[in-house]
Amino acid sequence: MDKLTTDIAVIGGGVIGVATALRLRADGRDVVVIEPNKPGSGASYGNAGTIADYAIIPVGTPAILKNLASLLLNSDSPLSIRKTALPTLFPWLMRFAYESLPHRYRDNTSRIADLLSDASSEWLELAAEIGASDLLSAKGCLYLYQTPEAFKAAASDVELRRTYGIAQQLLTPDQVQSLEPRLPQVHGGGLFFPKAINFTDPGQVMSVMEAAAKRAGVEFVRDSVTTISRERSGVRMMASAHSIHARAAVIAAGAHSRGLALQLGERVPLDTERGYHLEFDMETLPVERPVCPTHHGFYFSPMRGRLRVAGTVELGGITAPSNPRRLEVLLANARRIFPTLGEPSRSWMGFRPSMPDSVPVIRPSRGGRDVVFAFGHGHIGLTLAPRTARMISSILAA
């Protein structure tokens, strides 16, 4: 077994872990990233590519709570559950229901808004540093509402975002058509976020980020951490083929972080949303910017040489295989908007690490700053990577 000694060990090589490693290396720290797979090949690759600084509203809301049972039990809904996972997920669902109550929803929105307040500017800065600016697009993001009733029902969310200073424009159906002429006519309208940015290839962004980290001197170890414990002189991590000793550790292992936190005596209510996407290779893309048909709960994301259809939520843990029905529903709903879509070129399923309140865990562990938590980002992991890295840097510098 190989023995490694370092200043900071980052457990997890997704966008949160690699961004954190880059930041810590810039601080002059020796950093090792421990990741069993190719860095950034999980949810950091498979997302919709949006830097969603407008996404301040948690998954759990009073409206979701009102319809929670019907949503979860409908396998075709944007929020569903694998029934075999229900016994394991029950405690998380009870906490999720509590966090969806009006007073908790308002508090969670405020906390998320605070985290997202400078997300776009931080990404622009980081992209310039690592040489990924050419992978950014700044054409905004569009929400679609198929009916006037749905458009009217969104008014409270629009007003809530307005109180937090988020730039947004209400569009008539004709204005939607002018913005995205290849879209079919909608009867409700649209909500346009003009300052939103997105990546044209999240996987390529991760490759550029990994390369930048290696150039900076970050060491990557291809292994999976199985145990973590505190010692007098620091933190000991055991992996399949390595024993790693560090002065401090950052747990940024996404959906796999809960077990490591538990070994340190902390029960964190982290669970997993299973996300899916389909991709269609094509030369001429049907949309110019990320477009979300809100009724279906997914994004059409334009990427280099392909259209990605990504989104929806399936609660089902990390061990069950991919659910073909979720891909079928995603394809059927995509074709409701663009009937001429052919067969998908590829599909994907991955795991979003999600908290019941949709607020990520970015803090020292209760046992001390020698272990810091950076997980549970849900739908805003890509968005919050630079901000999270800065927060972790500040914690470890204190």
Side-chain angles (χ1 to χ4, degrees):
M1 178 172 287
D2 292 337
K3 295 184 178 181
L4 295 174
T5 300
T6 187
D7 186 15
I8 309 290
V10 177
I11 305 172
V15 67
I16 301 295
V18 179
T20 298
L22 264 170
R23 181 73 187 221
L24 294 172
R25 189 73 192 104
D27 293 342
R29 315 295 288 265
D30 290 328
V31 184
V32 170
V33 174
I34 310 154
E35 164 60 45
N37 305 304
K38 176 177 171 53
S41 59
S44 301
Y45 154 79
N47 56 74
T50 56
I51 308 304
D53 59 355
Y54 53 85
I56 66 170
I57 297 175
V59 176
T61 68
I64 288 290
L65 181 60
K66 182 179 179 181
N67 299 293
L68 185 59
S70 60
L71 284 169
L72 290 176
L73 296 176
N74 179 1
S75 62
D76 293 351
S77 79
L79 173 61
S80 69
I81 187 171
R82 290 184 81 123
K83 294 179 178 62
T84 54
L86 184 57
T88 302
L89 283 167
F90 188 76
W92 189 94
L93 288 169
M94 291 300 97
R95 180 69 177 268
F96 177 80
Y98 170 73
E99 296 292 347
S100 302
L101 293 171
H103 72 289
R104 296 300 306 148
Y105 157 72
R106 289 190 296 270
D107 182 58
N108 295 334
T109 299
S110 177
R111 294 163 67 195
I112 296 169
D114 180 63
L115 286 170
L116 291 174
S117 60
D118 54 0
S120 291
S121 61
E122 294 210 23
W123 251 118
L124 290 170
E125 181 180 334
L126 177 58
E129 289 176 2
I130 65 175
S133 296
D134 63 325
L135 295 168
L136 279 173
S137 176
K139 296 182 179 179
C141 174
L142 177 64
Y143 280 8
L144 294 181
Y145 300 93
Q146 295 295 331
T147 66
E149 292 77 16
F151 190 54
K152 183 178 180 180
S156 60
D157 287 350
V158 172
E159 183 58 34
L160 181 60
R161 293 190 195 93
R162 187 173 288 121
T163 65
Y164 288 100
I166 293 172
Q168 50 191 345
Q169 300 169 4
L170 293 170
L171 305 181
T172 66
D174 288 343
Q175 289 171 324
V176 169
Q177 200 72 38
S178 296
L179 189 66
E180 289 286 356
R182 296 184 182 92
L183 281 173
Q185 186 78 31
V186 295
H187 300 290
L191 180 62
F192 181 51
F193 301 100
K195 295 184 178 180
I197 59 178
N198 65 282
F199 284 118
T200 58
D201 194 325
Q204 185 61 26
V205 170
M206 287 306 307
S207 294
V208 171
M209 184 181 291
E210 178 191 1
K214 287 180 176 177
R215 287 196 305 271
V218 174
E219 182 178 356
F220 285 79
V221 173
R222 185 68 68 91
D223 210 339
S224 181
V225 172
T226 54
T227 64
I228 181 171
S229 59
R230 286 186 164 93
E231 297 181 346
R232 285 187 178 182
S233 57
V235 183
R236 174 72 62 185
M237 288 143 285
M238 300 300 295
S240 300
H242 297 83
S243 171
I244 304 104
H245 181 272
R247 289 178 58 191
V250 179
I251 298 179
H256 304 278
S257 299
R258 182 177 62 182
L260 295 173
L262 186 60
Q263 291 182 32
L264 298 169
E266 290 205 43
R267 293 185 177 274
V268 181
L270 176 76
D271 222 294
T272 305
E273 295 179 24
R274 297 151 60 89
Y276 293 81
H277 83 218
L278 299 169
E279 287 192 335
F280 302 82
D281 292 339
M282 55 180 68
E283 293 183 7
T284 302
L285 300 176
V287 291
E288 294 287 328
R289 56 190 51 76
V291 174
C292 175
T294 54
H295 178 69
H296 298 305
F298 65 81
Y299 278 89
F300 289 111
S301 294
M303 299 196 172
R304 288 188 170 180
R306 64 199 192 277
L307 177 71
R308 178 174 290 183
V309 182
T312 73
V313 173
E314 181 191 44
L315 300 170
I318 58 176
T319 57
S322 175
N323 183 352
R325 180 59 187 167
R326 298 304 295 174
L327 293 170
E328 292 168 5
V329 170
L330 197 57
L331 179 59
N333 288 335
R335 285 176 173 165
R336 293 180 195 276
I337 311 296
F338 295 116
T340 60
L341 278 178
E343 290 302 310
S345 304
R346 64 195 62 85
S347 63
W348 174 89
M349 187 273 287
F351 308 110
R352 301 186 195 101
S354 298
M355 298 293 290
D357 57 6
S358 298
V359 181
V361 182
I362 310 169
R363 60 169 174 81
S365 61
R366 289 176 186 150
R369 295 174 184 268
D370 55 342
V371 180
V372 182
F373 294 163
F375 54 78
H377 291 69
H379 296 253
I380 50 177
L382 180 67
T383 302
L384 281 178
R387 176 71 187 272
T388 300
R390 180 160 60 85
M391 294 172 68
I392 298 301
S393 171
S394 297
I395 291 168
L396 288 172

